[in-house]
Amino acid sequence: MVFIYDRKTIKKQAKKALRVSVPHFMLVVLVYVLLTTGVEYLFDMLSYGGGFFSGVVATFAIILLYLFSMVLAIGFANYALRLTRGESTGISGLFEGFSFTGRSLGVEILTLIFIFLWTLLVFIIASIVTSILMTLAAMAPLVLAVILYVICGLVYVAALILCIFLAIRYDMAPFALVEDPERKSMDCIRRSRTMMKKNQSKLFWLRVSFIGWILLIFLIFVIFDGIGILVMGPSQLADQLNEILSGTDYTVMMTDLDNFVYDIEYQLRWWSVLGEVVALPLILWLTAYMKSAAAVFYNFVSGYDFHQYMNTPVDEIDAPDDYYRSPSDDPQDSGQDGENGPDGDL
């Protein structure tokens, strides 16, 4: 199913959903981060240096943590989808995935398996191609060899882009599951692949459109790390580094260099933490914004007539007339000329 849409309108609807969220989606994101990244950080602290967690216990705890995070990710998608459809779930919606844990794990694990297999296949082919090109480059004149090496680099770039687009095909599977929890995991994967046919680039550019906010967060981190370096004194750091590099004993030099880097990281730690605290509201808002936009995107590719839940007349939204076209409005999409509709093969 191919749809006509306007990226600005999708983002506009995502922002509108955030404004009516109760509790605010930022709070839900904070809980989600604390229960995933926060628990993982706490686990790392407890297991550092063979502490409380070690050996078999550590391995078992890591597996449980990843499985818990997978199910919670489905609940995260559930909250976003319900929010963009005007359905009140409360923060309990974040834990909805645990009511169908098996299918939640199935979707997440199958997605990882398919992405891994596709990535493996693509890079095996890319490695074979580049090996042939490098063999030819070794026997070619200098200019031709340089050209062949450049082509090798482009082959790997193309492989990476192809892997991204292949992975995007599975991004709608969590939304497909929470939309209908009775769906089998593999059916959700198939539904996602079907809906994303010819739509991968739309979702890709939707995500790229957030790059400005991501760069702003990165800039905040750089600024606070830069302030920390200025406080430590760049000239003093340069003198210490020159003194270390002027040593004649390689082993001693590398040990001193490791200690030098560790001291810098230790002193910058609190500046980095301060930068994270300052950037945290923006990170929470951006995460909620991007997830809501992905949910709105799913509403479009799934044919959900979502403008009704927002109580917004269509003529008040800046979008083409066929932006809200229902599949039933088109004989080719509705299956009037055949037995199957847009999802007839699922």
Side-chain angles (χ1 to χ4, degrees):
M1 176 176 62
V2 181
F3 66 96
I4 300 173
Y5 87 120
D6 174 52
R7 186 168 62 245
K8 291 183 179 179
T9 304
I10 284 185
K11 297 175 75 172
K12 177 181 177 181
Q13 293 296 337
K15 288 181 180 178
K16 191 170 185 178
L18 292 181
R19 289 196 295 269
V20 301
S21 174
V22 180
H24 198 282
F25 202 175
M26 288 175 61
L27 175 61
V28 178
V29 173
L30 178 60
V31 174
Y32 176 73
V33 171
L34 290 176
L35 292 176
T36 53
T37 306
V39 173
E40 182 179 354
Y41 180 74
L42 178 62
F43 173 79
D44 289 340
M45 290 180 59
L46 293 175
S47 60
Y48 180 77
F52 182 76
F53 290 110
S54 61
V56 177
V57 176
T59 303
F60 183 71
I62 290 173
I63 294 174
L64 285 180
L65 178 59
Y66 278 121
L67 294 177
F68 174 81
S69 299
M70 287 180 178
V71 179
L72 203 63
I74 297 296
F76 192 44
N78 174 72
Y79 187 89
L81 187 65
R82 302 304 173 199
L83 173 64
T84 58
R85 294 187 175 186
E87 302 173 9
S88 178
T89 63
I91 202 166
S92 61
L94 183 61
F95 305 95
E96 186 67 23
F98 290 97
S99 62
F100 39 91
T101 304
R103 287 186 290 275
S104 297
L105 290 175
V107 167
E108 292 291 311
I109 293 174
L110 284 173
T111 298
L112 289 176
I113 291 174
F114 280 118
I115 292 176
F116 170 76
L117 292 177
W118 278 115
T119 302
L120 183 63
L121 177 61
V122 169
F123 275 95
I124 285 176
I125 296 174
S127 298
I128 293 173
V129 172
T130 54
S131 296
I132 295 173
L133 292 175
M134 293 177 69
T135 301
L136 295 175
M139 301 180 293
L142 179 60
V143 176
L144 181 57
V146 171
I147 294 175
L148 290 174
Y149 281 123
V150 171
I151 294 175
C152 288
L154 294 176
V155 168
Y156 277 113
V157 172
L160 178 61
I161 294 174
L162 179 59
C163 288
I164 292 174
F165 275 82
L166 289 171
I168 284 176
R169 298 197 308 163
Y170 303 98
D171 282 3
M172 298 294 105
F175 294 115
L177 177 61
V178 298
E179 182 183 47
D180 182 5
E182 296 301 318
R183 283 195 181 108
K184 295 180 180 179
S185 300
M186 196 62 208
D187 290 338
C188 296
I189 297 293
R190 294 193 187 100
R191 179 172 174 81
S192 178
R193 288 192 304 219
T194 300
M195 289 189 299
M196 292 305 292
K197 286 180 179 178
K198 300 183 180 180
N199 291 325
Q200 294 102 315
S201 61
K202 296 179 178 66
L203 182 56
F204 174 78
W205 289 114
L206 175 63
R207 289 179 173 172
V208 170
S209 66
F210 294 100
I211 191 67
W213 292 109
I214 296 173
L215 291 176
L216 177 59
I217 294 173
F218 178 75
L219 179 62
I220 293 174
F221 292 151
V222 171
I223 289 174
F224 277 89
D225 286 343
I227 293 175
I229 292 176
L230 290 176
V231 170
M232 288 187 289
S235 59
Q236 296 178 358
L237 294 176
D239 292 339
Q240 293 178 25
L241 182 60
N242 289 330
E243 183 179 353
I244 292 173
L245 296 178
S246 62
T248 55
D249 191 323
Y250 177 79
T251 303
V252 174
M253 182 180 68
M254 294 305 298
T255 301
D256 292 342
L257 186 61
D258 288 340
N259 293 333
F260 175 74
V261 172
Y262 176 80
D263 290 339
I264 292 178
E265 291 178 347
Y266 181 80
Q267 295 181 57
L268 286 177
R269 180 182 61 179
W270 296 111
W271 287 102
S272 298
V273 170
L274 183 59
E276 292 173 358
V277 170
V278 172
L280 182 61
L282 181 57
I283 293 173
L284 296 177
W285 174 81
L286 182 59
T287 303
Y289 185 15
M290 294 179 68
K291 198 65 178 181
S292 296
V296 175
F297 186 91
Y298 177 82
N299 288 332
F300 276 91
V301 295
S302 64
Y304 181 79
D305 194 19
F306 76 98
H307 68 272
Q308 294 182 358
Y309 81 86
M310 297 298 288
N311 296 318
T312 303
V314 177
D315 57 4
E316 292 183 9
I317 301 178
D318 299 326
D321 293 338
D322 53 359
Y323 186 66
Y324 296 103
R325 178 174 59 81
S326 171
S328 61
D329 296 336
D330 191 331
Q332 294 181 352
D333 285 345
S334 62
Q336 294 177 11
D337 296 334
E339 296 180 357
N340 294 327
D343 296 328
D345 60 338
L346 297 182

